[in-house]
Amino acid sequence: EYRTESPVIGSIASTLSFDAEDIKTTGANTFLEFLETIPSLGLYNPTGNVPAIFIRGNEAKHTLVLVDGVSINDTTSPDGAAGKGLTNVSLNDIEKIEIVKGVVSALYGSQAIAGVINIITKKGANGTHGTAGITYGTHNSKTYNTSISGGNKDGFIRFSHNESTTSGFNAMASDATQDKDGSSSQNTQIKAGNEYFNLAHSKAKNTQNYDRCWNGSATIDNCSSLSNSSKTLLNVNKKFNDEWKVKLSLAQTKNSLDTLHGLVSKSGDKSKNTSVILLNDIKINDALLTLGVSKIIEKNTTKNQTLSSKNLFVNFQKNINTVDINTGAREINHNNFGKKYVYNIGAAKPLGSGIKISGNYGTGFKAPTFYQFNGDDATNPSITPNPNLTPETSRYIELGVEKQLDWGVTSLKFYNNKVKNIVSYIGASCSDGSAILYLAP
């Protein structure tokens, strides 16, 4: 919620947190199965299609999904939602999941209009440990996972490999080919470090069979896609004194997507995303000031197109006369849109008898994707892009009351999230059953 490991106030926003034991008690075998158990989070996970997350009814592209602080949202997809990356998250590797509902763009930047899901992966435990597991289900579904780790106070190392496959089933009665829309995903990660730094490298592969795609002349049933991704992440931590801590994160992610439309093979776009983030936690008496700078470069290497932004953000938290105060702001300097500003302010106050009231107000921002600016000839050449699109913006307000009980917490929330300049699709049917789509604000 505050993008720091040492907040000085309690939670104000609608925040959920799950550790490895919480995840285990749900009985979920995959990350997507776990997401299905979370209140106010809608998961669209049909056979033969790309999964999507909807927080409080907002669009999937408005949820920012992070793994160890690095976005897995697909910048070369039509709308930039997490999509196929969700299937490559291994439940076996997760140490903790934090979900913040509502606009948090001031701290996390573009796409955090509906909320943020931050997934923190495991490190090596004390001593040497190994795990292995196999799960079977209907439709020839299988999940494999294995890991080995070792460590002590001076350092750790962890290796994991996870794989999930299913034959799927035919989800469309009108499907002439009767293909079963199977899928498979695998993820391999190695992570090492100590209290001062950690380095991680992972590779993921996802294959998906699905219905309804464009083969260049008509819409057909028998389609498949193959996506590959790799990620390298370096985190460096430095504590100068009791009042000042610094964290530097360097990350690079590479993605590629190839499709098979009937008998026609198409090579999709490749992308490379690089991010540099520097965070400073500065304690001032009993308050905490977080200062951050970042640079994010999103590059479509196939078409040699680049979107980039430089960010400067600040967050301040303090308890004043029993009232928790949190406020922040961000300057986004985008290469296409110039400077944009987002901010937030929140407060919470206990009233006694375990009752607490809270309120949040903030603004959000999301830049259009490569696809929306330039179209995608490999997937659907009939799509007409719009180079004049403007960023989506939002204004968010939330009011809530909660009560601490012996068995837990119960709460009542009122929220309103108004988004302007939403990028959507306008379709016109054609005689052959296909559609010509235009991106429009």
Side-chain angles (χ1 to χ4, degrees):
E1 179 178 350
Y2 303 119
R3 203 166 185 172
T4 177
E5 297 177 357
S6 52
V8 297
I9 60 175
S11 178
I12 298 176
S14 294
T15 305
L16 299 174
S17 181
F18 307 88
D19 60 22
E21 190 61 31
D22 295 329
I23 296 171
K24 185 177 180 181
T25 59
T26 66
N29 294 307
T30 66
F31 177 61
L32 291 176
E33 289 181 9
F34 169 74
L35 292 178
E36 292 176 339
T37 70
I38 300 175
S40 300
L41 192 153
L43 175 66
Y44 178 70
N45 185 30
T47 180
N49 214 320
V50 179
I53 297 175
F54 302 87
I55 293 182
R56 288 179 166 176
N58 287 271
E59 297 191 22
K61 61 181 177 178
H62 294 154
T63 296
L64 179 62
V65 183
L66 308 171
V67 176
D68 291 330
V70 179
S71 171
I72 64 170
N73 290 56
D74 187 357
T75 55
T76 58
S77 70
D79 59 8
K84 291 183 175 66
L86 297 173
T87 63
N88 295 325
V89 177
S90 170
L91 206 63
N92 181 53
D93 280 340
I94 297 176
E95 178 179 286
K96 188 177 182 181
I97 299 176
E98 299 170 329
I99 301 174
V100 184
K101 303 174 185 178
V103 172
V104 279
S105 286
L107 270 177
Y108 289 95
S110 182
Q111 293 193 286
I113 287 177
V116 169
I117 299 176
N118 186 32
I119 301 158
I120 301 168
T121 61
K122 294 177 180 177
K123 302 179 179 66
N126 290 330
T128 302
H129 301 270
T131 64
I134 302 176
T135 303
Y136 288 92
T138 58
H139 306 292
N140 198 30
S141 299
K142 298 181 287 291
T143 300
Y144 312 90
N145 63 75
T146 181
S147 67
I148 183 169
S149 62
N152 52 41
K153 64 179 182 178
D154 297 318
F156 72 89
I157 186 170
R158 175 182 168 84
F159 171 84
S160 65
H161 177 78
N162 305 274
E163 188 170 343
S164 179
T165 63
T166 179
S167 296
F169 61 90
N170 183 32
M172 295 185 66
S174 62
D175 186 355
T177 62
Q178 296 295 302
D179 57 316
K180 291 187 176 181
D181 301 329
S183 65
S184 68
S185 63
Q186 54 183 277
N187 181 283
T188 303
Q189 176 173 272
I190 185 167
K191 190 175 184 179
N194 54 32
E195 64 176 311
Y196 304 109
F197 82 96
N198 62 76
L199 177 67
H201 180 74
S202 63
K203 287 190 173 184
K205 181 179 180 181
N206 180 277
T207 303
Q208 178 73 65
N209 299 321
Y210 57 98
D211 295 294
R212 295 292 186 262
C213 61
W214 180 260
N215 70 352
S217 59
T219 301
I220 62 173
D221 292 330
N222 188 15
C223 317
S224 63
S225 66
L226 171 62
S227 60
N228 291 278
S229 66
S230 65
K231 180 182 70 176
T232 302
L233 168 66
L234 172 65
N235 286 318
V236 179
N237 305 287
K238 175 66 175 179
K239 183 177 180 179
F240 291 97
N241 50 51
D242 292 338
E243 287 75 37
W244 183 21
K245 293 191 299 183
V246 175
K247 181 178 181 179
L248 174 66
S249 294
L250 307 173
Q252 186 173 91
T253 303
K254 296 180 180 180
N255 296 291
S256 67
L257 175 66
D258 297 314
T259 59
L260 183 64
H261 297 169
L263 299 177
V264 181
S265 177
K266 297 179 181 293
S267 296
D269 291 352
K270 296 181 179 180
S271 66
K272 180 173 69 175
N273 300 339
T274 305
S275 65
V276 181
I277 304 171
L278 180 65
L279 289 172
N280 296 267
D281 279 356
I282 304 171
K283 289 199 70 175
I284 306 172
N285 296 324
D286 56 350
L288 182 66
L289 180 68
T290 300
L291 295 173
V293 293
S294 67
K295 183 173 183 179
I296 301 171
I297 303 173
E298 303 168 354
K299 187 169 185 178
N300 185 320
T301 54
T302 303
K303 298 178 179 178
N304 196 27
Q305 300 163 346
T306 301
L307 296 176
S308 65
S309 65
K310 299 176 182 178
N311 296 254
L312 173 65
F313 55 97
V314 59
N315 194 76
F316 180 77
Q317 50 181 289
K318 181 179 175 60
N319 181 274
I320 303 174
N321 296 327
T322 74
V323 178
D324 286 339
I325 302 292
N326 180 66
T327 184
R330 173 182 290 256
E331 179 189 84
I332 304 170
N333 191 352
H334 197 277
N335 69 322
N336 275 5
F337 310 113
K339 292 183 179 180
K340 303 290 182 180
Y341 298 90
V342 293
Y343 58 90
N344 76 279
I345 184 168
K349 178 176 176 58
L351 300 179
S353 301
I355 298 176
K356 182 175 74 172
I357 58 173
S358 61
N360 277 286
Y361 179 80
T363 60
F365 169 93
K366 183 188 180 303
T369 64
F370 290 112
Y371 186 95
Q372 292 165 340
F373 271 130
N374 305 291
D376 185 356
D377 295 336
T379 302
N380 195 334
S382 66
I383 290 183
T384 302
N386 185 346
N388 299 315
L389 294 175
T390 57
E392 299 175 342
T393 60
S394 72
R395 292 185 180 274
Y396 175 81
I397 186 170
E398 177 183 291
L399 301 173
V401 58
E402 68 177 45
K403 181 174 175 59
Q404 181 72 48
L405 303 169
D406 293 337
W407 49 267
V409 176
T410 182
S411 64
L412 178 66
K413 304 280 186 177
F414 167 82
Y415 58 88
N416 181 273
N417 197 356
K418 184 175 183 179
V419 186
K420 293 183 178 181
N421 298 323
I422 285 187
V423 178
S424 59
Y425 300 89
I426 300 174
S429 296
C430 301
S431 58
D432 64 355
S434 64
I436 298 176
L437 303 178
Y438 302 86
L439 293 165

